[in-house]
């Protein structure tokens, strides 16, 4: 079992940067693939990025490719999302999630564990 707690959200101007963190509890963190999703008001939760259990493989949504970077530190049980060149359309609640296999990583429903979310607001 994994418990996830996000932090690092806040208010930032367009063009600015933020780094989100997701701290996990449990001894098996290093065996999970970790994803970041976001949900804006009135919209469905959407995939942002995923990183494999080893950190060797990453995938990004087209909307954030080249601006966001996902990484993890298995010694610290933490996954990060570095967000640069932020745009107003990046405003959302950001969630981290964990899943044990690598398939269908863009699909929120296949992730078994979720954090409570952290708000990111980008002002234009």
């Amino acid at each position: 079992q994994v418990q996830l707690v996000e932090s690092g959200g806040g208010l930032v101007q367009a063009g600015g940067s933020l780094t989100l963190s997701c701290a996990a509890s449990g001894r098996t963190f290093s065996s999970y693939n970790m994803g970041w999703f976001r949900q804006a008001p009135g919209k469905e939760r959407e995939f942002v990025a995923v990183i494999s259990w080893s950190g060797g493989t990453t995938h990004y949504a087209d909307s954030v490719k080249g601006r966001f970077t996902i990484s993890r530190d298995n010694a610290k049980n933490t996954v990060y999302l570095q967000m640069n060149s932020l745009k107003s359309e990046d405003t959302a609640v950001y969630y981290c999630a964990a899943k044990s296999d690598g398939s269908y990583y863009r699909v929120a429903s296949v992730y078994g564990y979720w954090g409570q979310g952290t708000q990111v607001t980008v002002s234009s």
Side-chain angles (χ1 to χ4, degrees):
Q1 188 135 0
V2 178
Q3 292 183 324
L4 306 172
V5 179
E6 302 96 334
S7 61
L11 174 64
V12 64
Q13 288 188 332
S17 299
L18 277 177
T19 299
L20 305 183
S21 300
C22 174
S25 64
R27 293 174 292 177
T28 58
F29 171 77
S30 60
S31 66
Y32 286 92
N33 299 298
M34 299 297 298
W36 283 98
F37 287 76
R38 65 187 183 186
Q39 189 166 18
K43 295 188 176 181
E44 292 188 355
R45 193 167 297 190
E46 66 171 356
F47 168 77
V48 174
V50 66
I51 188 166
S52 63
W53 63 271
S54 67
T57 301
T58 58
H59 297 283
Y60 297 91
D62 287 343
S63 59
V64 307
K65 201 172 292 183
R67 300 188 298 123
F68 290 11
T69 302
I70 189 171
S71 61
R72 68 189 296 163
D73 185 338
N74 285 342
K76 295 182 178 180
N77 279 14
T78 303
V79 62
Y80 304 96
L81 186 68
Q82 172 69 45
M83 305 185 295
N84 298 327
S85 302
L86 283 162
K87 306 175 182 179
S88 57
E89 51 261 46
D90 295 318
T91 295
V93 177
Y94 282 71
Y95 299 89
C96 69
K99 65 191 304 291
S100 57
D101 63 46
S103 59
Y104 302 107
Y105 55 83
R106 294 178 183 269
V107 180
S109 61
V110 303
Y111 286 76
Y113 303 99
W114 291 86
Q116 83 289 348
T118 185
Q119 176 71 47
V120 172
T121 303
V122 184
S123 63
S124 56

